[in-house]
Amino acid sequence: MGLMDFIKKQFIDILQWTEQDEETLVWRFPMAEMEIQYGASLTVRESQIAVFVNEGQVADVFGPGMYKLSTQTLPVLTYLKNWDKLFESPFKSDVYFFSTRQRLDQRWGTQQPVTIRDKDFGAVRLRAFGNYAYRIVDAKRFHTEVSGTRERYTVQDLDGQLRGLMLQHISDAVAQSGIPFLDLAANQIEVAKALQAATAPAFEALGLKLESVTLQNVSLPEELQKILDQKIGMGMIGQNMGQFMQYQAAQALPKMAEGVGQGGGSGVAGDAMGLGAGLAMGQVLAQQLQAGLAPAAAAAAAPVAPAQSADEIMALLEKLGDLKARGILTDEEFAAKKAELLKKLG
């Protein structure tokens, strides 16, 4: 290799980045000891931004296009380096390429239940998960606030921070939506929009844009779900508490009988204890059944026969006399019934 070939390889005349994977957000052009040739070509592809950084200070920012590097196309760098308009020597500068493509299907979810306020239940602890999409829109801010001088910054490096921002604002989103917990599942799009609106400013502070948010599922912890199921059942029962207790008692009888059959211990003593407990429980359940049936019995006995007219009573007396004459009624039976009917006439 000749001396001139060696010297030529120390200067860069083409700067570009062809993305090789889906994970890289920021890539620093490998400079090593090389310098950028004055008049070199800079290619910035669609969905990319290129940033020149001089001694840690962001200089010129380039959007998609092809550029010939000179004092005219690098005004900030020219100012920082105190170049005059005729300066045409090679120069050193860090060059970073940023991918501005959307990063789709980024997952978020609550590892632990989060507490929210609900107008129906007061405080509710819930779990939720979904996905979101974002992109880099302010490369200068992202470089300053996030990626810095690293050679490569990836989606994975940012994942934990962004997921934390999503979870941090879920309580605010549910509160701002004004949707009760029982209606969240039927209004997932509205809740997702509220979560996006609540979280977007935090993304913007990092030079990002939160493009979309989806809410795929909302649920309660298992123990709270059981309580909610009971509350819903009570709401469906309404005022028929007696019927509910009667139903509960009837459902408990087979289990109680099984427990009595198995006994509370071993031997005769255990069987006696199980039988005694079963009888005591049976009495309690019987009382509950009677309490549930009492209103129905009272309601059945409530109707009163309409009052009879004088003509109807006289007709009954004639029929009773006929029955007595035929020997079907005794004198005592006839007299008792006659007295009862005559009282109605009085």
Side-chain angles (χ1 to χ4, degrees):
M1 180 184 295
L3 178 61
M4 293 303 298
D5 292 333
F6 175 78
I7 293 176
K8 287 181 180 180
K9 287 187 178 293
Q10 306 308 302
F11 302 109
I12 300 170
D13 55 7
I14 298 178
L15 292 97
Q16 63 179 348
W17 177 38
T18 55
E19 300 181 46
Q20 301 295 325
D21 57 65
E22 297 294 324
E23 290 294 312
T24 303
L25 291 171
V26 183
W27 178 74
R28 187 176 69 190
F29 191 91
M31 302 297 294
E33 297 299 323
M34 296 183 291
E35 296 181 339
I36 301 172
Q37 181 70 44
Y38 184 86
S41 172
L42 170 66
T43 301
V44 183
R45 291 175 169 79
E46 291 292 339
S47 72
Q48 290 182 355
I49 295 175
V51 175
F52 281 71
V53 179
N54 178 61
E55 297 179 356
Q57 185 173 357
V58 175
D60 299 281
V61 179
F62 294 85
M66 295 186 65
Y67 306 89
K68 181 179 180 181
L69 301 180
S70 65
T71 55
Q72 286 75 33
T73 56
L74 294 167
V76 179
L77 196 61
T78 298
Y79 173 77
L80 293 176
K81 289 184 174 292
N82 297 315
W83 292 338
D84 59 32
K85 295 182 180 180
L86 300 177
F87 186 81
E88 297 183 358
S89 299
F91 61 93
K92 291 186 67 67
S93 175
D94 291 324
V95 182
Y96 294 87
F97 287 88
F98 295 77
S99 173
T100 60
R101 292 186 295 109
Q102 280 199 58
R103 302 298 165 170
L104 303 172
D105 196 26
Q106 304 301 306
R107 306 299 178 87
W108 66 270
T110 55
Q111 294 182 353
Q112 299 296 330
V114 296
T115 302
I116 64 170
R117 291 188 179 276
D118 184 77
K119 63 181 182 180
D120 292 333
F121 300 99
V124 175
R125 292 189 302 123
L126 59 79
R127 290 190 177 97
F129 66 85
N131 54 24
Y132 63 98
Y134 70 91
R135 71 167 82 235
I136 296 175
V137 292
D138 189 337
K140 181 176 180 180
R141 177 173 292 183
F142 190 83
H143 172 81
T144 303
E145 301 293 335
V146 182
S147 59
T149 60
R150 294 176 58 170
E151 294 182 1
R152 181 172 176 263
Y153 199 87
T154 67
V155 171
Q156 190 62 34
D157 294 328
L158 196 58
D159 180 67
Q161 175 66 22
L162 298 186
R163 246 185 312 118
L165 292 176
M166 298 293 295
L167 298 180
Q168 179 181 342
H169 291 87
I170 187 170
S171 298
D172 297 336
V174 174
Q176 292 173 9
S177 70
I179 300 174
F181 170 77
L182 292 180
D183 297 330
L184 287 179
N187 295 274
Q188 292 185 357
I189 294 178
E190 287 75 9
V191 177
K193 289 180 179 178
L195 180 56
Q196 181 177 357
T199 313
F203 276 64
E204 292 174 5
L206 301 178
L208 305 173
K209 180 181 179 182
L210 182 58
E211 293 285 359
S212 64
V213 175
T214 65
L215 177 64
Q216 297 178 353
N217 181 268
V218 179
S219 63
L220 290 173
E222 184 177 354
E223 64 275 12
L224 291 182
Q225 186 63 52
K226 292 179 180 178
I227 296 174
L228 178 60
D229 291 342
Q230 293 178 354
K231 188 175 182 66
I232 293 174
M234 295 297 292
M236 295 174 66
I237 292 166
Q239 301 299 322
N240 298 323
M241 181 58 68
Q243 294 182 9
F244 177 71
M245 294 300 296
Q246 179 183 350
Y247 172 78
Q248 291 286 75
Q251 291 294 312
L253 284 174
K255 294 182 180 180
M256 182 194 70
E258 181 181 353
V260 171
Q262 294 177 352
S266 59
V268 177
D271 292 341
M273 291 176 62
L275 180 59
L279 290 174
M281 181 62 72
Q283 291 175 355
V284 173
L285 296 178
Q287 291 174 359
Q288 293 180 351
L289 287 171
Q290 290 175 359
L293 293 173
V304 178
Q308 294 173 313
S309 66
D311 292 339
E312 290 175 338
I313 292 175
M314 293 304 296
L316 285 174
L317 286 173
E318 291 177 2
K319 290 181 180 180
L320 289 173
D322 183 59
L323 292 173
K324 176 189 174 187
R326 294 165 60 182
I328 296 176
L329 291 178
T330 64
D331 291 340
E332 291 79 8
E333 291 172 341
F334 174 75
K337 193 63 179 176
K338 177 182 177 182
E340 180 181 342
L341 292 174
L342 289 176
K343 286 181 180 179
K344 294 181 179 181
L345 285 175

